[in-house]
Amino acid sequence: MIEGTASLEEMIPEGPMGEYAGYTWVGHEKPVPRFHVTAMTHRNNPIMPVCAAGIPPEENHTNWGVANAASIQNELRKKGLPIKECFIPLESAVHWLVVTVDRRQQRDDNEELAHEIGKTVFATRGGSYVPKVIVVDDDIDPSDINQVVWALATRHHPDKRKAMKDQNVLPLVAYLDAKEKRGGQTTKIVYNCLLPLKKWADKSPLEASFRGYPEELRNHIIENWEKYGY
């Protein structure tokens, strides 16, 4: 812990420094009050170590990302939306939020649901930092980046992307132009990766993996795995 006082009169340049998105910028300096350090203390085995922000994953992505996802999940559930869980992939530098939808709950329109999820997310404090929301069914583990990429690549139709303009955004998002950074607003995106509704189940693709096999067959294979020589 660093203790001290901040000057009310003396300003000195701060930065440039790395930020959570994984970038720094030439000339990214700003005047800030000088901080006069009077004492420094530390503890062994700290609970939250300090990190130098940069490309993911760093502690700012794990601590900040997990906390933001939890707060957004709480808001979506309070809204009564049929979601299972939310997660911000560490590799996304807090730029993606993955929301899984409970497949058991009936719904009439995937596009309407994805739009409502995005609108709710972007209206939250945690969601103001996230420019892109990926909505998937609950057969996808949102904490498994391989499954998330697979779902985004194979289940999202480009026509189902929903762009939402004039949303609050953190100016540190790297791709923003100067006007967006000054105004703190930009267009955000919801990627609808939901499979067809149950009433069109015969048109749904089936996952080609072990977990897609009938439960009885899976259990039989697992029980006899060692007998097969593995």
Side-chain angles (χ1 to χ4, degrees):
M1 180 170 64
I2 301 176
E3 300 178 41
T5 59
S7 174
L8 297 177
E9 299 175 350
E10 189 177 5
M11 305 290 284
I12 59 175
E14 177 193 58
M17 63 185 69
E19 296 289 356
Y20 79 100
Y23 302 94
T24 187
W25 289 270
V26 175
H28 188 228
E29 298 180 358
K30 61 181 179 180
V32 297
R34 177 186 287 275
F35 187 78
H36 297 273
V37 178
T38 58
M40 297 178 67
T41 57
H42 79 280
R43 60 174 294 175
N44 295 325
N45 302 316
I47 296 173
M48 183 184 294
V50 174
C51 73
I55 62 172
E58 293 278 9
E59 291 300 325
N60 52 334
H61 306 122
T62 57
N63 290 293
W64 185 26
V66 170
N68 272 357
S71 68
I72 294 169
Q73 178 174 293
N74 183 54
E75 293 299 321
L76 289 170
R77 287 180 173 170
K78 287 198 300 185
K79 188 83 171 179
L81 295 168
I83 64 114
K84 287 289 286 292
E85 55 185 330
C86 297
F87 190 76
I88 293 176
L90 307 185
E91 296 83 355
S92 74
V94 199
H95 283 53
W96 286 3
L97 171 73
V98 183
V99 180
T100 63
V101 171
D102 189 344
R103 190 72 175 170
R104 297 171 301 177
Q105 296 194 38
Q106 295 291 330
R107 58 182 187 270
D108 298 323
D109 191 318
N110 279 342
E111 291 188 55
E112 180 181 343
L113 175 60
H115 177 260
E116 188 64 25
I117 288 173
K119 185 170 66 173
T120 302
V121 168
F122 297 146
T124 67
R125 180 178 178 83
S128 66
Y129 302 113
V130 179
K132 299 161 187 174
V133 172
I134 302 171
V135 182
V136 297
D137 286 289
D138 59 6
D139 64 316
I140 297 298
D141 179 355
S143 67
D144 186 332
I145 192 63
N146 293 319
Q147 290 189 30
V148 173
V149 170
W150 175 61
L152 179 60
T154 63
R155 300 184 183 185
H156 171 68
H157 192 296
D159 288 340
K160 302 295 178 66
R161 182 183 61 180
K162 183 66 178 179
M164 302 176 68
K165 296 183 177 182
D166 302 324
Q167 302 295 317
N168 292 334
V169 67
L170 196 65
L172 294 173
V173 171
Y175 60 76
L176 299 178
D177 61 31
K179 180 179 179 181
E180 290 172 317
K181 287 180 180 294
R182 286 195 303 270
Q185 289 193 323
T186 189
T187 298
K188 294 189 173 184
I189 292 292
V190 181
Y191 294 99
N192 176 6
C193 301
L194 295 172
L195 293 171
L197 299 170
K198 286 186 177 180
K199 60 184 177 181
W200 296 316
D202 59 326
K203 300 182 184 301
S204 296
L206 299 177
E207 181 180 322
S209 72
F210 181 71
R211 66 177 182 171
Y213 295 173
E215 183 177 1
E216 182 178 354
L217 177 58
R218 292 202 312 270
N219 291 337
H220 177 78
I221 293 173
I222 292 172
E223 291 171 2
N224 293 278
W225 193 245
E226 291 186 4
K227 292 181 182 180
Y228 302 146
Y230 296 100

